[in-house]
PDB file of all heavy atoms in Angstrom:
ATOM      1  N   TRP K 310       2.851   5.604  18.357  1.00 98.00           N
ATOM      2  CA  TRP K 310       2.499   4.568  17.384  1.00 98.00           C
ATOM      3  C   TRP K 310       2.450   3.186  18.033  1.00 98.00           C
ATOM      4  O   TRP K 310       3.104   2.924  19.042  1.00 98.00           O
ATOM      5  CB  TRP K 310       3.464   4.566  16.200  1.00 98.00           C
ATOM      6  CG  TRP K 310       4.921   4.711  16.536  1.00 98.00           C
ATOM      7  CD1 TRP K 310       5.665   5.857  16.473  1.00 98.00           C
ATOM      8  CD2 TRP K 310       5.832   3.682  16.986  1.00 98.00           C
ATOM      9  NE1 TRP K 310       6.965   5.608  16.849  1.00 98.00           N
ATOM     10  CE2 TRP K 310       7.095   4.284  17.167  1.00 98.00           C
ATOM     11  CE3 TRP K 310       5.711   2.330  17.250  1.00 98.00           C
ATOM     12  CZ2 TRP K 310       8.223   3.575  17.602  1.00 98.00           C
ATOM     13  CZ3 TRP K 310       6.823   1.607  17.688  1.00 98.00           C
ATOM     14  CH2 TRP K 310       8.053   2.238  17.847  1.00 98.00           C
ATOM     15  N   LEU K 328       4.953  -3.747  18.774  1.00 98.00           N
ATOM     16  CA  LEU K 328       6.000  -2.831  19.239  1.00 98.00           C
ATOM     17  C   LEU K 328       5.353  -1.458  19.256  1.00 98.00           C
ATOM     18  O   LEU K 328       4.766  -1.030  18.249  1.00 98.00           O
ATOM     19  CB  LEU K 328       7.203  -2.850  18.281  1.00 98.00           C
ATOM     20  CG  LEU K 328       8.401  -2.001  18.726  1.00 98.00           C
ATOM     21  CD1 LEU K 328       9.106  -2.634  19.932  1.00 98.00           C
ATOM     22  CD2 LEU K 328       9.410  -1.832  17.584  1.00 98.00           C
ATOM     23  N   PHE K 333       8.729   8.602  20.930  1.00 97.00           N
ATOM     24  CA  PHE K 333       9.945   7.810  20.747  1.00 97.00           C
ATOM     25  C   PHE K 333      11.150   8.660  20.347  1.00 97.00           C
ATOM     26  O   PHE K 333      12.278   8.384  20.761  1.00 97.00           O
ATOM     27  CB  PHE K 333       9.705   6.724  19.688  1.00 97.00           C
ATOM     28  CG  PHE K 333      10.886   5.829  19.466  1.00 97.00           C
ATOM     29  CD1 PHE K 333      11.180   4.812  20.360  1.00 97.00           C
ATOM     30  CD2 PHE K 333      11.728   6.022  18.379  1.00 97.00           C
ATOM     31  CE1 PHE K 333      12.283   3.999  20.173  1.00 97.00           C
ATOM     32  CE2 PHE K 333      12.831   5.213  18.182  1.00 97.00           C
ATOM     33  CZ  PHE K 333      13.109   4.194  19.081  1.00 97.00           C
ATOM     34  N   ARG K 337      13.299   7.406  23.123  1.00 97.00           N
ATOM     35  CA  ARG K 337      14.009   6.234  22.585  1.00 97.00           C
ATOM     36  C   ARG K 337      13.647   4.973  23.370  1.00 97.00           C
ATOM     37  O   ARG K 337      14.491   4.082  23.565  1.00 97.00           O
ATOM     38  CB  ARG K 337      15.533   6.452  22.598  1.00 97.00           C
ATOM     39  CG  ARG K 337      15.977   7.558  21.683  1.00 97.00           C
ATOM     40  CD  ARG K 337      16.052   7.096  20.248  1.00 97.00           C
ATOM     41  NE  ARG K 337      16.183   8.233  19.351  1.00 97.00           N
ATOM     42  CZ  ARG K 337      16.248   8.150  18.040  1.00 97.00           C
ATOM     43  NH1 ARG K 337      16.193   6.981  17.456  1.00 97.00           N
ATOM     44  NH2 ARG K 337      16.342   9.205  17.289  1.00 97.00           N
ATOM     45  N   ALA K 339      10.751   1.847  23.726  1.00 98.00           N
ATOM     46  CA  ALA K 339       9.620   1.164  23.101  1.00 98.00           C
ATOM     47  C   ALA K 339       9.199  -0.003  23.989  1.00 98.00           C
ATOM     48  O   ALA K 339       9.932  -0.409  24.906  1.00 98.00           O
ATOM     49  CB  ALA K 339      10.003   0.664  21.710  1.00 98.00           C
ATOM     50  N   THR K 341       7.170  -3.938  24.032  1.00 98.00           N
ATOM     51  CA  THR K 341       6.714  -5.071  23.211  1.00 98.00           C
ATOM     52  C   THR K 341       5.528  -5.773  23.869  1.00 98.00           C
ATOM     53  O   THR K 341       5.320  -5.676  25.075  1.00 98.00           O
ATOM     54  CB  THR K 341       7.813  -6.132  23.008  1.00 98.00           C
ATOM     55  OG1 THR K 341       8.166  -6.672  24.285  1.00 98.00           O
ATOM     56  CG2 THR K 341       9.031  -5.572  22.316  1.00 98.00           C
ATOM     57  N   ALA K 360      12.772 -11.672  19.362  1.00 97.00           N
ATOM     58  CA  ALA K 360      14.062 -11.333  18.735  1.00 97.00           C
ATOM     59  C   ALA K 360      13.844 -10.362  17.574  1.00 97.00           C
ATOM     60  O   ALA K 360      14.601  -9.394  17.402  1.00 97.00           O
ATOM     61  CB  ALA K 360      14.758 -12.597  18.240  1.00 97.00           C
ATOM     62  N   ALA K 361      12.797 -10.617  16.771  1.00 98.00           N
ATOM     63  CA  ALA K 361      12.525  -9.741  15.622  1.00 98.00           C
ATOM     64  C   ALA K 361      12.137  -8.341  16.087  1.00 98.00           C
ATOM     65  O   ALA K 361      12.607  -7.338  15.534  1.00 98.00           O
ATOM     66  CB  ALA K 361      11.410 -10.353  14.767  1.00 98.00           C
ATOM     67  N   ALA K 362      11.294  -8.270  17.111  1.00 98.00           N
ATOM     68  CA  ALA K 362      10.856  -6.959  17.610  1.00 98.00           C
ATOM     69  C   ALA K 362      12.034  -6.191  18.201  1.00 98.00           C
ATOM     70  O   ALA K 362      12.163  -4.971  18.003  1.00 98.00           O
ATOM     71  CB  ALA K 362       9.753  -7.137  18.656  1.00 98.00           C
ATOM     72  N   LEU K 363      12.910  -6.902  18.893  1.00 98.00           N
ATOM     73  CA  LEU K 363      14.075  -6.234  19.488  1.00 98.00           C
ATOM     74  C   LEU K 363      15.035  -5.759  18.401  1.00 98.00           C
ATOM     75  O   LEU K 363      15.630  -4.680  18.500  1.00 98.00           O
ATOM     76  CB  LEU K 363      14.792  -7.179  20.462  1.00 98.00           C
ATOM     77  CG  LEU K 363      14.016  -7.517  21.735  1.00 98.00           C
ATOM     78  CD1 LEU K 363      14.764  -8.576  22.556  1.00 98.00           C
ATOM     79  CD2 LEU K 363      13.770  -6.264  22.581  1.00 98.00           C
ATOM     80  N   HIS K 364      15.165  -6.535  17.357  1.00 98.00           N
ATOM     81  CA  HIS K 364      16.032  -6.128  16.241  1.00 98.00           C
ATOM     82  C   HIS K 364      15.489  -4.845  15.598  1.00 98.00           C
ATOM     83  O   HIS K 364      16.244  -3.900  15.331  1.00 98.00           O
ATOM     84  CB  HIS K 364      16.141  -7.238  15.201  1.00 98.00           C
ATOM     85  CG  HIS K 364      17.106  -6.923  14.119  1.00 98.00           C
ATOM     86  ND1 HIS K 364      18.431  -7.294  14.171  1.00 98.00           N
ATOM     87  CD2 HIS K 364      16.951  -6.218  12.977  1.00 98.00           C
ATOM     88  CE1 HIS K 364      19.047  -6.835  13.100  1.00 98.00           C
ATOM     89  NE2 HIS K 364      18.167  -6.180  12.349  1.00 98.00           N
ATOM     90  N   LEU K 365      14.182  -4.833  15.363  1.00 98.00           N
ATOM     91  CA  LEU K 365      13.578  -3.626  14.774  1.00 98.00           C
ATOM     92  C   LEU K 365      13.808  -2.426  15.691  1.00 98.00           C
ATOM     93  O   LEU K 365      14.172  -1.335  15.241  1.00 98.00           O
ATOM     94  CB  LEU K 365      12.070  -3.856  14.557  1.00 98.00           C
ATOM     95  CG  LEU K 365      11.286  -2.686  13.981  1.00 98.00           C
ATOM     96  CD1 LEU K 365      11.775  -2.349  12.567  1.00 98.00           C
ATOM     97  CD2 LEU K 365       9.785  -2.998  13.951  1.00 98.00           C
ATOM     98  N   ALA K 366      13.602  -2.641  16.986  1.00 98.00           N
ATOM     99  CA  ALA K 366      13.717  -1.533  17.940  1.00 98.00           C
ATOM    100  C   ALA K 366      15.161  -1.028  18.047  1.00 98.00           C
ATOM    101  O   ALA K 366      15.416   0.174  17.918  1.00 98.00           O
ATOM    102  CB  ALA K 366      13.205  -1.967  19.312  1.00 98.00           C
ATOM    103  N   PHE K 367      16.089  -1.930  18.284  1.00 97.00           N
ATOM    104  CA  PHE K 367      17.466  -1.492  18.564  1.00 97.00           C
ATOM    105  C   PHE K 367      18.271  -1.225  17.290  1.00 97.00           C
ATOM    106  O   PHE K 367      18.922  -0.186  17.176  1.00 97.00           O
ATOM    107  CB  PHE K 367      18.188  -2.550  19.416  1.00 97.00           C
ATOM    108  CG  PHE K 367      17.705  -2.617  20.841  1.00 97.00           C
ATOM    109  CD1 PHE K 367      17.247  -3.802  21.385  1.00 97.00           C
ATOM    110  CD2 PHE K 367      17.725  -1.485  21.654  1.00 97.00           C
ATOM    111  CE1 PHE K 367      16.817  -3.870  22.700  1.00 97.00           C
ATOM    112  CE2 PHE K 367      17.296  -1.536  22.976  1.00 97.00           C
ATOM    113  CZ  PHE K 367      16.833  -2.728  23.499  1.00 97.00           C
ATOM    114  N   ALA K 368      18.248  -2.178  16.355  1.00 96.00           N
ATOM    115  CA  ALA K 368      19.123  -2.044  15.183  1.00 96.00           C
ATOM    116  C   ALA K 368      18.562  -1.094  14.139  1.00 96.00           C
ATOM    117  O   ALA K 368      19.327  -0.427  13.444  1.00 96.00           O
ATOM    118  CB  ALA K 368      19.368  -3.420  14.565  1.00 96.00           C
ATOM    119  N   CYS K 369      17.222  -1.031  14.004  1.00 97.00           N
ATOM    120  CA  CYS K 369      16.638  -0.180  12.957  1.00 97.00           C
ATOM    121  C   CYS K 369      16.243   1.189  13.510  1.00 97.00           C
ATOM    122  O   CYS K 369      16.579   2.219  12.934  1.00 97.00           O
ATOM    123  CB  CYS K 369      15.416  -0.837  12.337  1.00 97.00           C
ATOM    124  SG  CYS K 369      15.751  -2.435  11.579  1.00 97.00           S
ATOM    125  N   LEU K 370      15.483   1.191  14.614  1.00 97.00           N
ATOM    126  CA  LEU K 370      14.921   2.453  15.115  1.00 97.00           C
ATOM    127  C   LEU K 370      15.872   3.194  16.055  1.00 97.00           C
ATOM    128  O   LEU K 370      15.656   4.365  16.359  1.00 97.00           O
ATOM    129  CB  LEU K 370      13.603   2.177  15.849  1.00 97.00           C
ATOM    130  CG  LEU K 370      12.451   1.708  14.956  1.00 97.00           C
ATOM    131  CD1 LEU K 370      11.333   1.104  15.804  1.00 97.00           C
ATOM    132  CD2 LEU K 370      11.909   2.874  14.142  1.00 97.00           C
ATOM    133  N   GLY K 371      16.897   2.520  16.544  1.00 97.00           N
ATOM    134  CA  GLY K 371      17.831   3.176  17.454  1.00 97.00           C
ATOM    135  C   GLY K 371      17.275   3.341  18.856  1.00 97.00           C
ATOM    136  O   GLY K 371      17.591   4.316  19.551  1.00 97.00           O
ATOM    137  N   ALA K 372      16.458   2.388  19.308  1.00 98.00           N
ATOM    138  CA  ALA K 372      15.932   2.447  20.679  1.00 98.00           C
ATOM    139  C   ALA K 372      17.079   2.350  21.681  1.00 98.00           C
ATOM    140  O   ALA K 372      18.129   1.753  21.397  1.00 98.00           O
ATOM    141  CB  ALA K 372      14.948   1.308  20.909  1.00 98.00           C
ATOM    142  N   GLU K 373      16.872   2.946  22.834  1.00 98.00           N
ATOM    143  CA  GLU K 373      17.837   2.808  23.933  1.00 98.00           C
ATOM    144  C   GLU K 373      17.300   1.887  25.024  1.00 98.00           C
ATOM    145  O   GLU K 373      18.074   1.295  25.769  1.00 98.00           O
ATOM    146  CB  GLU K 373      18.193   4.184  24.488  1.00 98.00           C
ATOM    147  CG  GLU K 373      19.048   4.955  23.480  1.00 98.00           C
ATOM    148  CD  GLU K 373      19.259   6.411  23.829  1.00 98.00           C
ATOM    149  OE1 GLU K 373      18.907   6.827  24.948  1.00 98.00           O
ATOM    150  OE2 GLU K 373      19.766   7.138  22.954  1.00 98.00           O
ATOM    151  N   LEU K 374      15.982   1.768  25.118  1.00 98.00           N
ATOM    152  CA  LEU K 374      15.348   0.882  26.100  1.00 98.00           C
ATOM    153  C   LEU K 374      14.157   0.197  25.439  1.00 98.00           C
ATOM    154  O   LEU K 374      13.412   0.835  24.698  1.00 98.00           O
ATOM    155  CB  LEU K 374      14.787   1.674  27.285  1.00 98.00           C
ATOM    156  CG  LEU K 374      15.702   2.406  28.246  1.00 98.00           C
ATOM    157  CD1 LEU K 374      14.849   3.116  29.292  1.00 98.00           C
ATOM    158  CD2 LEU K 374      16.656   1.440  28.924  1.00 98.00           C
ATOM    159  N   VAL K 375      13.973  -1.080  25.762  1.00 98.00           N
ATOM    160  CA  VAL K 375      12.737  -1.769  25.378  1.00 98.00           C
ATOM    161  C   VAL K 375      12.195  -2.457  26.631  1.00 98.00           C
ATOM    162  O   VAL K 375      12.948  -3.132  27.349  1.00 98.00           O
ATOM    163  CB  VAL K 375      12.972  -2.795  24.254  1.00 98.00           C
ATOM    164  CG1 VAL K 375      11.683  -3.562  23.953  1.00 98.00           C
ATOM    165  CG2 VAL K 375      13.441  -2.090  22.977  1.00 98.00           C
ATOM    166  N   TRP K 422      21.651  -5.469  24.837  1.00 97.00           N
ATOM    167  CA  TRP K 422      21.220  -6.181  23.625  1.00 97.00           C
ATOM    168  C   TRP K 422      22.382  -6.346  22.646  1.00 97.00           C
ATOM    169  O   TRP K 422      22.599  -7.412  22.075  1.00 97.00           O
ATOM    170  CB  TRP K 422      20.066  -5.440  22.951  1.00 97.00           C
ATOM    171  CG  TRP K 422      19.509  -6.186  21.788  1.00 97.00           C
ATOM    172  CD1 TRP K 422      18.658  -7.253  21.826  1.00 97.00           C
ATOM    173  CD2 TRP K 422      19.783  -5.955  20.404  1.00 97.00           C
ATOM    174  NE1 TRP K 422      18.389  -7.691  20.550  1.00 97.00           N
ATOM    175  CE2 TRP K 422      19.056  -6.915  19.656  1.00 97.00           C
ATOM    176  CE3 TRP K 422      20.572  -5.014  19.726  1.00 97.00           C
ATOM    177  CZ2 TRP K 422      19.095  -6.962  18.273  1.00 97.00           C
ATOM    178  CZ3 TRP K 422      20.608  -5.068  18.351  1.00 97.00           C
ATOM    179  CH2 TRP K 422      19.884  -6.028  17.631  1.00 97.00           C
ATOM    180  N   PRO K 448      19.816   6.208  12.639  1.00 53.00           N
ATOM    181  CA  PRO K 448      20.425   6.533  13.922  1.00 53.00           C
ATOM    182  C   PRO K 448      21.897   6.162  13.941  1.00 53.00           C
ATOM    183  O   PRO K 448      22.312   5.241  13.265  1.00 53.00           O
ATOM    184  CB  PRO K 448      19.640   5.683  14.917  1.00 53.00           C
ATOM    185  CG  PRO K 448      19.106   4.553  14.116  1.00 53.00           C
ATOM    186  CD  PRO K 448      18.915   5.056  12.708  1.00 53.00           C
TER     187      PRO K 448
END
Side-chain angles (χ1 to χ4, degrees):
W310 43 261
L328 184 71
F333 182 78
R337 295 280 167 181
T341 62
L363 292 174
H364 185 92
L365 179 64
F367 288 125
C369 301
L370 292 164
E373 289 170 10
L374 293 179
V375 176
W422 185 78

